[in-house]
Amino acid sequence: MNIRKDIPNRTSKEWSTMGVKKYALLLLEFLRISPSYALAHLIRSESIDAAKQKKLALDLYSDDETALTKVQQLEILNGFDKVLKTYDEFGDVTTIDIEDWWTNRGIHIFGSPFEKPVPVKIAGISKHESYEPLFEKSLRNYFEVKLANQGQPPAIIVGIPLGLPKRVLMQRISKLIDAEKIPVQNKAKRSTKPLAVQRLRSEPLFIMLRLLMAKAQHEDWPLWRLGLQAKVSAKFSKLDIQVDKKRGKDSDAKVNLNILTSRYLLKAKLVAENTARGEFPCSQKVFLPKYDFEDIYQRLTLKYKKINPRSK
């Protein structure tokens, strides 16, 4: 993953520009791994008909042992409809360059494609100056260039006489602005698709991605070893990842790390599935698809050419 970890939070001045973008790119990583999103890609790219779509979706979410009830089938199909809608919005992310995706899609989904609206000087007037045709040119440039680049926000055009105390001028300008009754936009809500939670923590998301990728590369590894690879806990970082047999002094640590890694792996799958349904970051309980980690590994190799070979 070529995403730096220094993601600005919502209180940062860089949130609306860099913070939202980096969380959106984290989202892409989960979509690349998601089995349901991969199925949506297959369906859309091969124009599979509705009847076959239904069968493929139910097969993906069925455990092949317990028959699904009609209620469960309906819940799965409704959830997969959300996956298809997400795919239609986000597109094929398997190999796309993240900067290209952000420019062509992401910025229109999560950010603003326009410049930040700021006050600008249209023209100045000297003492005793008469009206000049150049004023009209300056005003047209403001409407056709400045406002257009800012996304055509509401604005007022005022004449400010100079030479008066700034305090007096600012009071009057403030009254003119208040008279327009335009609500102030909340910066945290600028995204057309807001993130699913208010309190954001990026490190657990990185751990989940590392764990899913480690599982794709080393599917047969015990959970504790996957946990060490994914760095799920600093507390157990001293364990020897190369040791396959349990050593007495490490047995309790491995048991605890197994439990912690198992929890993280389940949560990672839930985040991936909810992401495919258009909710990120979110780990609410939903029907999970079957995870074919060999297939996931093959998808990852399409994007990451230097990924380590899959262990046998």
Side-chain angles (χ1 to χ4, degrees):
M1 297 176 289
N2 62 349
I3 304 174
R4 293 177 61 190
K5 291 187 180 182
D6 51 341
I7 301 181
N9 58 35
R10 277 194 168 102
T11 62
S12 170
K13 292 181 179 179
E14 295 182 328
W15 169 251
S16 61
T17 53
M18 190 60 65
V20 172
K21 177 181 178 181
K22 288 193 174 183
Y23 270 99
L25 300 183
L26 267 176
L27 177 152
L28 288 191
E29 299 295 339
F30 279 99
L31 289 183
R32 286 194 182 105
I33 289 172
S34 166
S36 57
Y37 199 81
L39 177 58
H41 171 64
L42 175 68
I43 288 171
R44 290 300 193 236
S45 60
E46 297 190 6
S47 301
I48 294 174
D49 62 70
K52 191 173 181 181
Q53 286 181 33
K54 178 179 178 180
K55 183 179 184 306
L56 288 171
L58 292 177
D59 286 346
L60 180 64
Y61 290 88
S62 171
D63 63 6
D64 299 326
E65 295 179 1
T66 306
L68 296 169
T69 67
K70 290 185 178 180
V71 173
Q72 290 173 326
Q73 289 182 25
L74 182 61
E75 185 177 344
I76 287 171
L77 294 175
N78 287 340
F80 190 69
D81 280 344
K82 295 179 181 179
V83 178
L84 291 172
K85 290 178 181 177
T86 302
Y87 185 86
D88 292 338
E89 186 175 18
F90 286 77
D92 179 14
V93 301
T94 308
T95 60
I96 194 168
D97 178 79
I98 54 179
E99 293 296 336
D100 289 342
W101 180 87
W102 179 255
T103 300
N104 295 323
R105 287 186 187 250
I107 197 170
H108 302 283
I109 298 171
F110 290 98
S112 171
F114 304 110
E115 295 176 2
K116 181 179 180 180
V118 293
V120 296
K121 176 182 175 180
I122 299 175
I125 303 173
S126 301
K127 188 174 183 179
H128 302 308
E129 185 173 353
S130 301
Y131 176 81
E132 293 185 1
L134 288 177
F135 290 158
E136 184 178 340
K137 182 178 180 181
S138 296
L139 192 60
R140 184 183 299 113
N141 180 72
Y142 175 70
F143 275 95
E144 295 178 356
V145 179
K146 294 294 184 181
L147 278 182
N149 289 342
Q150 294 174 2
Q152 301 289 357
I156 58 173
I157 297 174
V158 298
I160 304 175
L162 302 179
L164 297 175
K166 187 183 294 185
R167 176 180 57 83
V168 175
L169 292 174
M170 295 306 295
Q171 287 176 347
R172 184 55 185 159
I173 293 171
S174 180
K175 288 180 180 180
L176 292 173
I177 293 173
D178 291 342
E180 296 299 313
K181 298 181 179 180
I182 302 297
V184 176
Q185 190 174 27
N186 189 327
K187 288 184 178 180
K189 296 182 179 179
R190 287 182 61 193
S191 300
T192 58
K193 192 180 189 68
L195 298 172
V197 295
Q198 289 298 313
R199 187 177 181 183
L200 292 164
R201 294 178 61 229
S202 61
E203 182 54 31
L205 296 173
F206 281 107
I207 291 174
M208 292 176 210
L209 285 171
R210 289 197 300 265
L211 184 55
L212 288 170
M213 294 181 78
K215 182 70 171 174
Q217 295 174 72
H218 311 289
E219 188 172 0
D220 295 331
W221 276 12
L223 284 171
W224 67 266
R225 193 171 181 185
L226 289 172
L228 280 178
Q229 179 83 0
K231 301 178 182 178
V232 301
S233 173
K235 180 180 178 180
F236 301 114
S237 60
K238 300 298 183 181
L239 286 175
D240 183 0
I241 197 171
Q242 301 300 326
V243 176
D244 291 326
K245 295 182 179 180
K246 286 187 177 181
R247 296 182 300 178
K249 64 178 182 179
D250 290 336
S251 59
D252 288 342
K254 289 177 181 177
V255 169
N256 291 331
L257 189 52
N258 275 341
I259 295 171
L260 182 60
T261 304
S262 177
R263 290 173 180 170
Y264 254 113
L265 186 58
L266 174 59
K267 193 170 184 178
K269 291 179 179 179
L270 288 171
V271 169
E273 178 60 17
N274 279 289
T275 302
R277 296 183 182 204
E279 294 290 327
F280 177 84
C282 176
S283 58
Q284 70 178 12
K285 290 185 178 181
V286 291
F287 270 100
L288 285 175
K290 289 179 285 191
Y291 269 70
D292 183 337
F293 280 100
E294 182 174 358
D295 184 60
I296 291 171
Y297 177 80
Q298 294 305 322
R299 289 203 301 277
L300 290 173
T301 60
L302 295 176
K303 174 61 180 176
Y304 301 109
K305 304 301 182 182
K306 295 182 180 180
I307 193 171
N308 292 332
R310 194 166 192 261
S311 60
K312 302 297 184 180

